[in-house]
Short mmCIF file of all heavy atoms in Angstrom, two decimals:
data_model
loop_
_atom_site.label_atom_id
_atom_site.label_comp_id
_atom_site.label_asym_id
_atom_site.label_seq_id
_atom_site.Cartn_x
_atom_site.Cartn_y
_atom_site.Cartn_z
N PRO J 633 29.54 164.38 118.83
CA PRO J 633 30.03 165.15 119.96
C PRO J 633 29.67 164.69 121.25
O PRO J 633 30.47 164.51 122.25
CB PRO J 633 29.39 166.59 119.74
CG PRO J 633 29.01 166.67 118.31
CD PRO J 633 28.81 165.18 117.85
N LEU J 634 28.45 164.11 121.41
CA LEU J 634 27.92 163.53 122.64
C LEU J 634 28.98 162.39 122.99
O LEU J 634 29.36 162.23 124.18
CB LEU J 634 26.57 163.05 122.35
CG LEU J 634 25.76 162.62 123.60
CD1 LEU J 634 24.22 162.88 123.12
CD2 LEU J 634 25.94 161.22 124.06
N ARG J 635 29.41 161.60 121.98
CA ARG J 635 30.22 160.48 122.23
C ARG J 635 31.60 160.93 122.76
O ARG J 635 32.20 160.45 123.73
CB ARG J 635 30.38 159.67 121.02
CG ARG J 635 31.36 158.56 121.16
CD ARG J 635 31.41 157.76 119.82
NE ARG J 635 32.29 156.62 119.84
CZ ARG J 635 33.67 156.80 119.43
NH1 ARG J 635 34.08 158.01 119.07
NH2 ARG J 635 34.46 155.82 119.58
N ASP J 636 32.05 161.99 122.06
CA ASP J 636 33.35 162.68 122.52
C ASP J 636 33.34 163.02 123.88
O ASP J 636 34.29 162.85 124.58
CB ASP J 636 33.74 163.80 121.48
CG ASP J 636 33.91 163.33 120.20
OD1 ASP J 636 34.23 162.08 119.82
OD2 ASP J 636 33.80 164.14 119.10
N GLU J 637 32.23 163.80 124.32
CA GLU J 637 32.24 164.19 125.61
C GLU J 637 32.22 163.10 126.73
O GLU J 637 32.82 163.28 127.71
CB GLU J 637 30.87 165.11 125.81
CG GLU J 637 30.99 166.31 125.00
CD GLU J 637 32.21 167.06 125.29
OE1 GLU J 637 32.44 167.49 126.49
OE2 GLU J 637 32.89 167.53 124.29
N ILE J 638 31.53 162.01 126.32
CA ILE J 638 31.61 160.87 127.30
C ILE J 638 32.90 160.30 127.31
O ILE J 638 33.32 159.98 128.47
CB ILE J 638 30.46 159.83 126.74
CG1 ILE J 638 29.07 160.41 126.97
CG2 ILE J 638 30.66 158.54 127.47
CD1 ILE J 638 27.95 159.44 126.21
N ALA J 639 33.50 160.18 126.14
CA ALA J 639 34.85 159.65 126.20
C ALA J 639 35.84 160.49 126.96
O ALA J 639 36.73 160.03 127.66
CB ALA J 639 35.39 159.40 124.60
N ALA J 640 35.62 161.81 126.82
CA ALA J 640 36.53 162.76 127.62
C ALA J 640 36.23 162.87 129.09
O ALA J 640 37.01 163.48 129.77
CB ALA J 640 36.47 164.07 126.82
N ALA J 641 35.11 162.34 129.51
CA ALA J 641 34.79 162.46 130.99
C ALA J 641 35.35 161.50 131.77
O ALA J 641 35.09 161.35 132.98
CB ALA J 641 33.17 162.26 130.98
N GLY J 642 36.39 160.73 131.32
CA GLY J 642 37.29 159.94 132.20
C GLY J 642 36.62 158.48 132.44
O GLY J 642 36.94 157.96 133.42
N THR J 643 35.80 158.13 131.73
CA THR J 643 35.25 156.78 131.89
C THR J 643 36.28 155.82 131.40
O THR J 643 37.24 156.15 130.62
CB THR J 643 33.98 156.49 131.17
OG1 THR J 643 34.23 156.83 129.70
CG2 THR J 643 32.84 157.36 131.60
N HIS J 644 36.21 154.56 131.81
CA HIS J 644 37.36 153.59 131.48
C HIS J 644 37.28 153.17 130.05
O HIS J 644 38.26 152.57 129.52
CB HIS J 644 37.24 152.42 132.39
CG HIS J 644 36.19 151.49 132.11
ND1 HIS J 644 36.52 150.13 131.60
CD2 HIS J 644 34.92 151.51 132.14
CE1 HIS J 644 35.37 149.40 131.35
NE2 HIS J 644 34.42 150.25 131.63
N ARG J 645 36.23 153.22 129.39
CA ARG J 645 36.26 152.90 127.89
C ARG J 645 35.27 153.84 127.17
O ARG J 645 34.18 154.18 127.63
CB ARG J 645 35.90 151.40 127.67
CG ARG J 645 34.44 151.11 127.89
CD ARG J 645 34.12 149.72 127.39
NE ARG J 645 32.65 149.29 127.72
CZ ARG J 645 31.65 149.57 126.80
NH1 ARG J 645 31.83 150.07 125.68
NH2 ARG J 645 30.48 149.14 127.15
N ALA J 646 35.62 154.21 125.90
CA ALA J 646 34.83 155.11 125.17
C ALA J 646 33.79 154.24 124.53
O ALA J 646 34.09 153.18 123.97
CB ALA J 646 35.74 155.76 124.17
N PRO J 647 32.60 154.80 124.54
CA PRO J 647 31.36 154.03 123.91
C PRO J 647 31.54 154.12 122.43
O PRO J 647 32.05 155.04 121.87
CB PRO J 647 30.22 154.70 124.38
CG PRO J 647 30.57 156.14 124.75
CD PRO J 647 32.07 155.97 125.20
N GLU J 648 30.98 153.02 121.75
CA GLU J 648 30.95 153.07 120.31
C GLU J 648 29.84 153.80 119.80
O GLU J 648 28.80 154.05 120.69
CB GLU J 648 30.89 151.59 119.75
CG GLU J 648 32.08 150.71 120.25
CD GLU J 648 32.03 149.41 119.69
OE1 GLU J 648 31.32 149.20 118.52
OE2 GLU J 648 32.53 148.43 120.13
N MET J 649 29.69 154.24 118.64
CA MET J 649 28.61 154.99 118.17
C MET J 649 27.30 154.19 118.25
O MET J 649 26.17 154.73 118.56
CB MET J 649 28.75 155.37 116.69
CG MET J 649 29.52 156.77 116.39
SD MET J 649 28.81 158.10 117.35
CE MET J 649 27.22 158.54 116.41
N GLU J 650 27.32 152.81 118.12
CA GLU J 650 26.25 152.07 118.22
C GLU J 650 25.61 152.14 119.68
O GLU J 650 24.41 152.02 119.87
CB GLU J 650 26.45 150.53 117.95
CG GLU J 650 26.38 150.24 116.53
CD GLU J 650 25.15 150.59 115.82
OE1 GLU J 650 24.09 150.09 116.34
OE2 GLU J 650 25.13 151.31 114.87
N ASP J 651 26.49 152.38 120.64
CA ASP J 651 26.04 152.53 122.11
C ASP J 651 25.23 153.94 122.15
O ASP J 651 24.19 153.99 122.86
CB ASP J 651 27.22 152.54 123.09
CG ASP J 651 27.80 151.20 122.98
OD1 ASP J 651 27.17 150.08 122.93
OD2 ASP J 651 29.20 151.03 123.09
N ILE J 652 25.81 154.96 121.53
CA ILE J 652 25.11 156.24 121.58
C ILE J 652 23.78 156.16 120.89
O ILE J 652 22.77 156.54 121.40
CB ILE J 652 25.94 157.30 120.83
CG1 ILE J 652 27.44 157.27 121.30
CG2 ILE J 652 25.37 158.56 120.98
CD1 ILE J 652 27.60 157.62 122.77
N TRP J 653 23.71 155.38 119.76
CA TRP J 653 22.43 155.07 119.09
C TRP J 653 21.54 154.38 119.94
O TRP J 653 20.17 154.55 119.82
CB TRP J 653 22.56 154.35 117.78
CG TRP J 653 23.08 155.16 116.57
CD1 TRP J 653 24.19 155.11 115.89
CD2 TRP J 653 22.16 156.10 115.92
NE1 TRP J 653 24.19 156.03 114.92
CE2 TRP J 653 23.00 156.69 114.90
CE3 TRP J 653 20.85 156.71 116.20
CZ2 TRP J 653 22.45 157.64 113.95
CZ3 TRP J 653 20.40 157.68 115.37
CH2 TRP J 653 21.30 158.13 114.29
#
Side-chain angles (χ1 to χ4, degrees):
Chain J
L634 195 154
R635 175 176 179 273
D636 293 343
E637 293 307 303
I638 292 172
T643 58
H644 78 110
R645 72 172 174 92
E648 304 185 25
M649 273 308 286
E650 279 301 309
D651 296 322
I652 309 295
W653 275 116

